Structures are given as structure tokens and as C-alpha cells.
Amino acid sequence: MIKEVIVVEGRDDITAVKRAVDAEMIAVGGFGINAKVINKIREAQKRCGVIVLTDPDFAGDKIRKIISKRVPGIKHAYISREDGTKDDDIGVENAEPEVIIEALKKAKCEISDKREYFNIDDMMFFKLTADQRAKDRRERLGKILGIGYSNTNGFLTKLNNYGIEREEFIEAINKMNKEMENGNTI
């Protein structure tokens, strides 16, 4: 059983997560997260902690930002777009139980002291920007690190805000490079 309360977007996500783990859950029901739901999330955060697991798309990212702004100290769990896509539909509800479990294990909390440990030079050096495969590399690396996919600026922000250390980053880069050399999919 997961001790934290898992916050998802809707009922289908609850069904998918329940196939993977035994946990208390809250469904936000989309962008229009009302005050009652935010208060439930705040109470859950005080009681045992919260992990937000939203769809790997624009809507999911927006929901995360709304919750993060109103409820500090929550954890974030991410599934890749590939793992969340089925028949041209993207969402947590499409992810296999093993994928959900792995995402929850890698859940990360934003650090309170914002930093600029990684910069655009790192992104360029490791071909995470300004390279024809940069988008694929960011998605692969985001899955390995458990921080999800983002554009260049968003990825850089996540590297810094989730407190990724240089050693962890280099290990993930090496793992990603091996996967790509072996032709593994994301």
C-alpha cells in the first residue's frame, strides 16, 4: 500500500491506479479544480502526503501547476507519453500497472531552495536541445529520472527544481545512451 494519497484527473485514472496499487485517491475532475477539492488535497498533504499523477499532456501539466501552486510540498509522479498512449488516446488510464508502480516509486518533490545547478550549456552538451533527436532524448531521460517530458526550458527547470544531482544525471545519461544504442523504445 502507498502511504500518500494519489491525486489523479478522473475516474478512469482511479481505476487504472487501483489495478496497480492499494492507495487512497482524489480525482480533481479537470482544470476547474474547485476549492473543496483543493482543501481535500491540503488535508491529505498534512495527514500523509500527496503524489500527483496526471496525464502526460498539456492538461495534466496545467493541473499539476495549479495544485503545486496551492499545495506546497507535494510529490510528482510521471508516466511517459508512450506508456500513456493507446489508440490515439493519452492518459494515465492507458498505462500498465507496472508503469504506474514504477512512476510512483520515482515520485519527486520540488526542492524548496530553487537553484540553477543545470543550465542551457548542459542541455546542449548532452544533446537535449539543438539536436534533431533532442526531443526523444529528453523524453527518455525524463522517464529514467522520473521527471517526465518537457520542452527544453521546462526540462531544465525540472532538473533544477527536483534537486537532480550531477551524479544521478550522468548515470541517467549513460543509461539512456545504452538504451538508444541497443535500439530500445522509450
Side-chain angles (χ1 to χ4, degrees):
M1 177 164 169
I2 302 284
K3 69 174 181 132
E4 295 94 346
V5 174
I6 301 171
V7 175
V8 295
E9 292 182 42
R11 289 178 304 208
D12 292 341
D13 298 336
I14 286 177
T15 301
V17 174
K18 283 189 183 240
R19 285 193 316 257
V21 295
D22 180 18
E24 182 182 346
M25 286 185 260
I26 298 172
V28 298
F31 292 136
I33 306 170
N34 63 43
K36 184 177 177 181
V37 172
I38 290 294
N39 285 335
K40 282 173 77 173
I41 296 169
R42 279 189 186 122
E43 288 303 313
Q45 177 66 1
K46 287 178 193 171
R47 184 168 34 88
C48 57
V50 167
I51 299 174
V52 176
L53 177 64
T54 57
D55 296 347
D57 59 8
F58 175 79
D61 193 47
K62 184 169 179 156
I63 290 167
R64 281 176 191 283
K65 287 177 183 172
I66 291 168
I67 296 169
S68 291
K69 189 174 182 180
R70 296 184 180 149
V71 186
I74 60 174
K75 291 181 181 176
H76 296 271
Y78 293 89
I79 60 169
S80 71
R81 292 182 297 171
E82 181 182 66
D83 288 334
T85 302
K86 183 178 179 184
D87 300 327
D88 294 326
D89 177 47
I90 191 163
V92 170
E93 71 274 8
N94 298 321
E96 294 296 324
E98 308 81 47
V99 169
I100 292 170
I101 291 167
E102 188 63 25
L104 293 170
K105 284 181 184 176
K106 292 181 178 180
K108 294 194 178 349
C109 183
E110 290 186 36
I111 58 175
S112 55
D113 295 331
K114 300 299 182 211
R115 65 185 192 163
E116 292 186 24
Y117 190 65
F118 294 96
N119 59 45
I120 196 68
D121 292 336
D122 295 308
M123 298 293 282
M124 292 178 73
F125 182 81
F126 292 104
K127 299 179 182 173
L128 298 169
T129 192
D131 183 88
Q132 74 184 92
R133 296 197 63 198
K135 182 178 178 181
D136 180 42
R137 292 174 65 80
R138 285 191 310 272
E139 183 156 353
R140 288 171 182 273
L141 190 60
K143 183 176 180 179
I144 293 166
L145 291 169
I147 63 173
Y149 170 78
S150 297
N151 64 21
T152 299
N153 289 334
F155 199 81
L156 192 53
T157 298
K158 286 180 180 180
L159 286 171
N160 287 313
N161 288 356
Y162 287 130
I164 305 296
E165 295 296 332
R166 182 70 59 176
E167 185 177 314
E168 179 184 10
F169 178 77
I170 297 299
E171 284 178 21
I173 288 283
N174 290 336
K175 183 176 181 179
M176 175 194 66
N177 288 337
K178 281 183 183 171
E179 286 179 358
M180 291 178 81
E181 285 171 14
N182 294 333
N184 295 354
T185 59
I186 296 175

